[in-house]
Amino acid sequence: MTRPAARRVTIPYTPRYPQTEIHPMLESHRFCVLVTHRQMGKTVCAINHLLKSALTNTRPAPRYFYIAPFLKQVKLIAWDYLKRYSAPLPEVKLQESELCAQLPNGAKIWLLGADNPDALRGTYADGVVLDEYAQIKPDVFNEIVRPMLLSRQGWVLFTGTPKGQNSFFELYNQARKAAQTDPARWWCGVFPADETGIISPQELAEIRRHTPEHLFRQEYLCDFTADAEDVLISVGLAAQAAARSYAPAELAYAPKIIGVDPARFGSDRSVIFRRQGLQAFAPQVFCKTDNMTLAARVAQEIKTFHPDGVFIDAGCGGGVIDRLRQLGFEVTEINFGSAPLKAGQYANKRAEMWGEMLQWLQAGGALPAGGELRADLCGVRYDFDAAGRMKLESKEQLKARTGRSPDLADALALTFALPVQKRSGGGPAGPGRFARTEYEVL
């Protein structure tokens, strides 16, 4: 018996950026955490991901669930989307009383409220969306949803907008950590309004003028720390810096500096960061790079960028420093735990570099595009010691909390290690061509 050819059906949904980047990640990872700004279209994205997953599932009786904090919320928003995008499907059956759509292949999609989680007990799921997760009790996933996924090895999408440092913030940190160690199964995406372009710059500026700053940072810049008082660099400050740029002529007066944060293998990355005055340029990032290779990369950057100072973290960079000096380049090793120049203000050199970087941002510093750098910058907490000096949480504490080391931000911070004067005269930079700074750098 010949099986009838499958009918091609087009769902009336055309993904836009960033949905065009989100959908491939959702389809290739089992556990996804999606953090978005208001009006990005995450519910539409989630509903269409459910539809595609359900329609392409060849298992018997596939089951999918969209769960929001409250049933009333589901009825008001998600149910209309499910009806709209499933309308072209032949023989689709919509059960309004149960908020359930039965698709032509027998798959079912239920929309439920987390305010009645017991309705889910005892069933299985091929896929689950937990929307506005910040407002859903963690027990809903741990005690109810997680067991539903076991028999079918189902996937789950956690999505929402930050609402302070709550269970969604903890999940976000866990997901970032898991994505480092298990990137085939975990994915974490963050999409603030100033990067997606969905809300025009003019409209976004208007919203900001009429919204309390902490709410704007939380709702539109995806800032989990908007209400936190111990974060050194706010998301808003980093976002403003990422929106700025300077022409070469505006930077001509300023010295050029390179910061290098080496990492010998492991999960951390080696980073080379270039900065001239108020402008920081896109970093070079290398994974699992040995000292000789990294030294060669730095040497090439010196020849190309003609820096007035090169600062390298001595923690893992001893081999890189030795090799560059062997080649005749003048570089400065920086020990993050050493004494700062401003001993009464900072507890150590690392705190001083970050403090100087904060002042640079406040003075008009411009960052290159990229959410990863901004996440590094805005994830570090600070405190004060008994002497009233600023100190940062250790890299080990930060990595344990967030699952990653702020490699990009530390490399940029290294460009503030010591004062640097612009090199006098012209000519290409090379071995021994750095002018002396106002400090004797040894």
Side-chain angles (χ1 to χ4, degrees):
M1 181 176 178
T2 304
R3 188 174 181 176
R7 177 180 175 183
R8 182 179 179 85
V9 178
T10 301
I11 298 174
Y13 169 60
T14 302
R16 59 183 177 181
Y17 180 84
Q19 284 93 336
T20 49
E21 292 194 4
I22 293 171
H23 282 295
M25 296 296 102
L26 302 185
E27 293 171 12
S28 58
H29 294 80
R30 186 180 177 196
F31 301 102
C32 296
V33 175
L34 176 62
V35 184
T36 74
H37 65 84
R38 291 295 174 204
Q39 303 301 315
M40 195 216 74
K42 62 179 174 58
T43 302
V44 170
C45 185
I47 289 295
N48 279 282
H49 179 57
L50 283 169
L51 276 171
K52 183 175 180 180
S53 297
L55 287 167
T56 57
N57 193 331
T58 58
R59 287 182 170 183
R63 293 184 178 184
Y64 293 86
F65 298 87
Y66 172 95
I67 303 171
F70 305 103
L71 182 61
K72 184 177 181 180
Q73 181 182 14
V74 170
K75 290 180 178 179
L76 183 64
I77 301 175
W79 180 240
D80 284 343
Y81 286 142
L82 182 57
K83 289 192 294 184
R84 179 193 308 177
Y85 292 112
S86 65
L89 302 178
E91 302 176 4
V92 64
K93 297 178 181 178
L94 299 174
Q95 301 173 32
E96 190 96 23
S97 61
E98 297 184 17
L99 297 183
C100 176
Q102 181 173 331
L103 307 183
N105 64 341
K108 290 185 177 181
I109 300 175
W110 279 273
L111 308 187
L112 300 168
D115 46 349
N116 183 25
D118 289 336
L120 292 167
R121 292 187 186 273
T123 188
Y124 63 86
D126 293 85
V128 176
V129 172
L130 289 162
D131 197 4
E132 297 296 352
Y133 189 73
Q135 301 176 55
I136 296 177
K137 295 180 180 179
D139 291 348
V140 173
F141 175 71
N142 295 328
E143 297 180 9
I144 299 175
V145 174
R146 189 69 178 92
M148 293 167 56
L149 304 172
L150 294 177
S151 63
R152 306 283 283 236
Q153 293 292 294
W155 55 261
V156 60
L157 166 62
F158 306 88
T159 183
T161 299
K163 286 190 175 296
Q165 297 187 24
N166 51 21
S167 58
F168 191 33
F169 177 63
E170 293 177 3
L171 174 68
Y172 164 72
N173 285 327
Q174 293 169 9
R176 291 179 68 193
K177 186 174 183 178
Q180 294 286 317
T181 58
D182 192 5
R185 294 202 310 160
W186 280 87
W187 174 75
C188 183
V190 182
F191 296 91
D194 59 340
E195 290 187 1
T196 65
I198 291 174
I199 302 175
S200 70
Q202 296 80 9
E203 183 68 18
L204 196 61
E206 182 70 14
I207 293 172
R208 187 166 202 161
R209 281 194 292 271
H210 295 91
T211 305
E213 180 63 18
H214 76 282
L215 286 179
F216 179 82
R217 286 165 49 195
Q218 182 174 270
E219 301 283 314
Y220 293 94
L221 300 182
C222 300
D223 185 0
F224 283 102
T225 66
D227 291 325
E229 297 180 354
D230 60 349
V231 175
L232 184 66
I233 297 173
S234 71
V235 168
L237 181 60
Q240 293 171 14
R244 288 191 288 260
S245 64
Y246 296 95
E250 297 177 280
L251 305 171
Y253 72 93
K256 297 179 179 180
I257 308 170
I258 289 178
V260 183
D261 186 26
R264 186 170 174 80
F265 305 120
S267 60
D268 296 347
R269 299 155 300 172
S270 296
V271 182
I272 304 173
F273 228 121
R274 294 175 295 133
R275 180 176 67 84
Q276 183 175 17
L278 289 173
Q279 182 70 59
F281 303 96
Q284 292 193 47
V285 183
F286 309 97
C287 296
K288 298 182 178 180
T289 302
D290 62 77
N291 285 337
M292 294 300 100
T293 302
L294 182 60
R297 298 280 190 175
V298 176
Q300 185 59 48
E301 281 295 294
I302 292 173
K303 294 176 181 177
T304 303
F305 189 54
H306 310 319
D308 302 292
V310 179
F311 301 115
I312 304 176
D313 175 19
C316 291
V320 177
I321 294 166
D322 291 344
R323 177 57 177 161
L324 287 167
R325 286 174 176 170
Q326 185 182 54
L327 294 172
F329 293 100
E330 184 178 341
V331 299
T332 304
E333 58 185 283
I334 300 296
N335 187 330
F336 279 26
S338 64
L341 296 176
K342 300 177 181 179
Q345 186 174 351
Y346 300 105
N348 56 27
K349 174 57 72 174
R350 179 167 177 256
E352 182 177 56
M353 292 189 300
W354 276 75
E356 295 296 304
M357 181 166 61
L358 170 62
Q359 293 182 31
W360 172 80
L361 288 167
Q362 293 170 334
L367 295 172
E372 196 170 9
L373 170 61
R374 288 164 61 177
D376 277 4
L377 289 168
C378 303
V380 174
R381 297 173 178 174
Y382 75 100
D383 200 351
F384 294 93
D385 64 12
R389 301 175 302 177
M390 190 186 86
K391 63 179 183 178
L392 303 181
E393 66 176 323
S394 70
K395 294 180 73 170
E396 291 73 24
Q397 290 173 324
L398 178 64
K399 194 169 183 179
R401 178 169 60 83
T402 66
R404 55 185 290 155
S405 176
D407 306 315
L408 275 68
D410 274 339
L412 178 57
L414 278 161
T415 67
F416 299 93
L418 293 169
V420 176
Q421 289 183 338
K422 185 173 176 60
R423 178 167 47 87
S424 59
R433 291 302 302 267
F434 297 133
R436 291 291 181 185
T437 70
E438 58 190 293
Y439 295 90
E440 274 303 312
V441 180
L442 301 177

